[in-house]
C-alpha cells in the first residue's frame, strides 16, 4: 500500500519533536509569544528595538574600542548598531549583506540611529560571505557571522512557509553556513574571535556546523567557554537563561519570556 506523503507542517512537527521530545509542544507554543525586546538608546540618534536574545552574540564577541570588525551578514542592522557602540569612533566596521534589498534596510537603520562620528566608521558591502577568506586573510580582530538559517519561529508563524517546509532546506542552509564560517576563520587574525550565531534550533545548523569545522580545521582554532555571569547578567533587565550545548549556547523562548531563539558559539583562532 502506498504511504501518504506528509505535508510540510507534519514534517516540521515530526522533525523537531524528534529533537526536543515532550518539550517541543511548549517550545512551539512559545514562538507565539511577543518577543522580549530591548531598547538600544544610549548614544543613539533614535532608539532601536531588538530581541533581547540577539544582544548576547555581540556581547560574546568582547569588542573594545578601536578594533577592525566584520559583520558578515549584517542586515537588518541591530547587531551592527551594537558593534558600533562598543567599537567607538576609533574602530572600523565592515557591514556586509549580499542582498540589495536587505542592504537598503541596513543603511536605513544605521543612518537613522547612529550619530555621524560612529556612522562614518561603518562601510557597507555586498559580497558573497562564503568567499571572504579568498580575498582577505588574517585581517579582522572580530567577526560576527549571524548566518542565514531556518528561522523556525518565522516558519511556524507563517502558513505558506510551513506548508513548504522540508528537512532538505536544513541541509542546503548548513552547507552554506559552513562555507561562510570557514571563510570567517580565514579572514580573522590569529587570536581574533568569531561568534557564529543563528536563530535556528536544529543541531545541523548550530553545533553540527562547529563540529564540521573541528573535523576540517581542528588545529586552527579553539572553542571559548563563556563566563555565564559576566555575559548573561551584565546589565539590569538583561538576565537570560542560557542553555549550554556541546559547542555553544542556546537562548530559547520557552525559558526566556519569548526572547529568542538564538544559538551562538565563540571561536578563537590559534
Amino acid at each position: 500500500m502506498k504511504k501518504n506523503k506528509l505535508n510540510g507542517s507534519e514534517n516540521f512537527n515530526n522533525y523537531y519533536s524528534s529533537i526536543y521530545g515532550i518539550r517541543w509542544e511548549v517550545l512551539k507554543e512559545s514562538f507565539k509569544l511577543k518577543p522580549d525586546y530591548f531598547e538600544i538608546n544610549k548614544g543613539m540618534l533614535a532608539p532601536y528595538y531588538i530581541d533581547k536574545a540577539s544582544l548576547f552574540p555581540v556581547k560574546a564577541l568582547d569588542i573594545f574600542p578601536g578594533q577592525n570588525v566584520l559583520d558578515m551578514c549584517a542586515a537588518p542592522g541591530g547587531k551592527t548598531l551594537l558593534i558600533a557602540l562598543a567599537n567607538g569612533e576609533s574602530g572600523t566596521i565592515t557591514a556586509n549583506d549580499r542582498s540589495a534589498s536587505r542592504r537598503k534596510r541596513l543603511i536605513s537603520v544605521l543612518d537613522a540611529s547612529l550619530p555621524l562620528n560612529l556612522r562614518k566608521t561603518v562601510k557597507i558591502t555586498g559580497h558573497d560571505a562564503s568567499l571572504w577568506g579568498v580575498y582577505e586573510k588574517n585581517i579582522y580582530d572580530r567577526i560576527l557571522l549571524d548566518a542565514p538559517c531556518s528561522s523556525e519561529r518565522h516558519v511556524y508563524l507563517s502558513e505558506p512557509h510551513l506548508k513548504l517546509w522540508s528537512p532538505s532546506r536544513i541541509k542546503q542552509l548548513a552547507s552554506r553556513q559552513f562555507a561562510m564560517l570557514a571563510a570567517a576563520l580565514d579572514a580573522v587574525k590569529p587570536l581574533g574571535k568569531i561568534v557564529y550565531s543563528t536563530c535556528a534550533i536544529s543541531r545541523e545548523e548550530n553545533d553540527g556546523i562547529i563540529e564540521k569545522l573541528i573535523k576540517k580545521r581542528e588545529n586552527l582554532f579553539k572553542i571559548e567557554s563563556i563566563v555565564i555571569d559576566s555575559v548573561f547578567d551584565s546589565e539590569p533587565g538583561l538576565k537570560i537563561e542560557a542553555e549550554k550545548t556541546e559547542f555553544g549556547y542556546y537562548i530559547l523562548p520557552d525559558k526566556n519570556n519569548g526572547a529568542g531563539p538564538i544559538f551562538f558559539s565563540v571561536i578563537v583562532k590559534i
Side-chain angles (χ1 to χ4, degrees):
M1 181 181 293
K2 187 177 180 180
K3 293 184 178 179
N4 291 328
K5 186 177 180 181
L6 296 178
N7 63 34
S9 178
E10 291 168 329
N11 262 322
F12 183 84
N13 279 296
N14 288 347
Y15 181 85
Y16 289 101
S17 180
S18 71
I19 297 173
Y20 288 94
I22 60 174
R23 183 182 180 184
W24 171 237
E25 290 301 318
V26 177
L27 179 56
K28 182 173 63 173
E29 285 302 302
S30 73
F31 291 165
K32 298 177 182 178
L33 296 173
K34 182 180 179 180
D36 191 1
Y37 287 112
F38 181 84
E39 180 181 326
I40 308 171
N41 52 32
K42 188 176 181 180
M44 304 270 279
L45 293 178
Y48 185 88
Y49 296 88
I50 190 170
D51 185 317
K52 185 187 292 186
S54 295
L55 276 69
F56 291 91
V58 179
K59 293 173 78 67
L61 266 177
D62 188 28
I63 296 170
F64 51 84
Q67 293 184 315
N68 185 19
V69 183
L70 170 61
D71 190 350
M72 291 187 89
C73 302
K79 295 183 182 71
T80 312
L81 293 176
L82 293 168
I83 291 170
L85 291 170
N87 205 27
E89 59 185 287
S90 61
T92 56
I93 302 167
T94 301
N96 182 72
D97 205 284
R98 194 177 183 183
S99 165
S101 62
R102 287 175 61 81
R103 283 198 306 278
K104 185 177 180 180
R105 171 62 176 153
L106 170 65
I107 292 168
S108 175
V109 167
L110 298 180
D111 287 349
S113 296
L114 285 181
L116 181 60
N117 66 322
L118 294 181
R119 178 63 182 89
K120 67 184 182 181
T121 69
V122 184
K123 177 177 71 174
I124 309 296
T125 60
H127 304 309
D128 181 347
S130 66
L131 300 177
W132 209 286
V134 175
Y135 302 103
E136 291 189 328
K137 295 183 183 295
N138 304 315
I139 294 293
Y140 296 96
D141 299 296
R142 300 286 189 268
I143 297 179
L144 175 64
L145 172 52
D146 186 30
C149 68
S150 287
S151 188
E152 292 92 347
R153 184 173 192 161
H154 172 73
V155 170
Y156 180 64
L157 297 176
S158 170
E159 187 174 344
H161 287 90
L162 190 58
K163 284 182 177 179
L164 295 173
W165 189 88
S166 166
S168 63
R169 176 163 169 74
I170 292 175
K171 293 181 180 179
Q172 293 168 4
L173 285 163
S175 177
R176 180 157 177 77
Q177 289 158 352
F178 175 76
M180 289 189 287
L181 183 55
L185 188 60
D186 287 333
V188 75
K189 293 178 180 178
L191 304 181
K193 290 185 182 181
I194 303 166
V195 168
Y196 172 78
S197 69
T198 77
C199 59
I201 60 172
S202 66
R203 187 183 188 278
E204 288 93 330
E205 297 182 59
N206 295 322
D207 278 336
I209 301 299
I210 309 301
E211 182 177 60
K212 185 175 180 180
L213 193 69
I214 291 171
K215 289 179 180 178
K216 298 286 187 179
R217 304 191 179 185
E218 61 179 337
N219 297 319
L220 298 181
F221 69 96
K222 62 181 181 179
I223 304 298
E224 183 175 82
S225 295
I226 297 297
V227 179
I228 297 293
D229 288 346
S230 67
V231 173
F232 296 101
D233 296 331
S234 57
E235 295 179 38
L238 284 186
K239 186 172 177 60
I240 283 284
E241 183 174 343
E243 301 173 49
K244 185 74 177 72
T245 70
E246 188 175 1
F247 302 116
Y249 301 87
Y250 269 130
I251 300 172
L252 298 177
D254 60 327
K255 294 189 176 182
N256 289 287
N257 299 315
I262 284 289
F263 168 87
F264 68 94
S265 178
V266 184
I267 295 163
V268 179
K269 188 170 182 175
I270 297 174

